[in-house]
Amino acid sequence: MKKLISLIVLSLSASLAVADDHASGPLFYGQSFGFVADDPAAVVAAMDKWRSSDAGKATPNTVVLLQNLVNGDYKSTHQVNVFYANTAAMDESAMAVADDRGWRAFQSSMQKLTEPEWENTYAILRAKVGEGDITSANPVSIIYGLTVTDAPAFMAAFNQMWGSAEIQNFPGAVYFGRNIASGAMPGTHFITFVADSRGKLMEAVTRMQASEQMAAYLSQIGDTRKLEQTSMTVEAKRWAN
């Protein structure tokens, strides 16, 4: 099964905006599942039914359904992201569904409605997000998947870029994460930019790419990383507990 690094915006407090991954560890964790869905409305109905059940309401996580806009070699049309505040929440979520009939029925429905393609697990190390950064119910994300080959050199350059006005004043949210498990798919880290719409995201990313700070960053990182893939998604619906 092919696997892919993916991520979308999660509501976080402004206090996490300049969190240091070396000092505080991951901010939160995520799992993503990519699949082909011929009937997206039926998938939403199945997810609505599950999340409205007692067990669904008891799971301490946030679930987001996304439509893939640009997906490279992958054929998956959609993906589901599941976010956990910490590792304890991951364990609690697993326990909540372990012997639940509703969960088994939901899984059976998804098997009939979708064709799975990939899945992965990751940790979010940094987040630039503040109140008002994202106001749309359907924000759009662009995700850059990277293989970092020289972590100290890469982070030295990345730290400067992260503290720059281009990142901290980005008109949306920015996330930096580390892949934990992704099967055979290459990629160790990812950077995600999120904005209210496609146009707003494209305008902001294009402006950032043309900046002097980006030029300096690219010059500094050199061959310390390899760009593995670039993808885009739009949020379709979110279920938060």
Side-chain angles (χ1 to χ4, degrees), residues 45-213:
M47 296 182 71
D48 278 337
K49 182 178 180 179
W50 157 245
R51 292 297 283 190
S52 64
S53 69
D54 290 341
K57 294 176 181 177
T59 52
N61 56 42
T62 294
V63 176
V64 184
L65 175 65
L66 302 129
Q67 177 187 352
N68 294 328
L69 301 176
V70 178
N71 209 20
D73 293 334
Y74 294 92
K75 61 181 180 180
S76 51
T77 60
H78 295 75
Q79 64 190 62
V80 168
N81 293 344
V82 185
F83 297 117
Y84 305 92
N86 48 47
T87 53
M90 297 181 77
D91 289 341
E92 289 179 40
S93 295
M95 291 179 62
V97 303
D99 299 310
D100 184 71
R101 289 186 179 181
W103 173 252
R104 291 195 295 271
F106 169 64
Q107 292 295 295
S108 178
S109 295
M110 291 296 285
Q111 288 175 6
K112 296 175 183 177
L113 293 169
T114 66
E115 177 188 346
E117 185 180 24
W118 54 262
E119 57 188 89
N120 71 340
T121 301
Y122 45 85
I124 301 304
L125 306 179
R126 297 186 183 184
K128 194 294 291 187
V129 56
E131 186 175 356
D133 278 349
I134 303 297
T135 59
S136 170
N138 305 106
V140 180
S141 299
I142 186 166
I143 306 102
Y144 299 93
L146 314 171
T147 292
V148 175
T149 56
D150 185 341
F154 172 80
M155 289 307 301
F158 182 75
N159 285 339
Q160 293 186 42
M161 185 62 188
W162 185 263
S164 71
E166 295 299 329
I167 296 295
Q168 296 306 316
N169 294 333
F170 187 83
V174 187
Y175 297 90
F176 174 61
R178 180 182 67 245
N179 203 32
I180 296 174
S182 60
M185 180 66 189
T188 60
H189 295 73
F190 54 86
I191 304 171
T192 300
F193 295 87
V194 191
D196 282 336
S197 68
R198 300 187 205 190
K200 187 175 180 180
L201 179 62
M202 290 299 93
E203 181 180 348
V205 169
T206 300
R207 184 170 58 248
M208 179 184 65
Q209 290 176 335
S211 69
E212 293 182 1
Q213 291 166 320

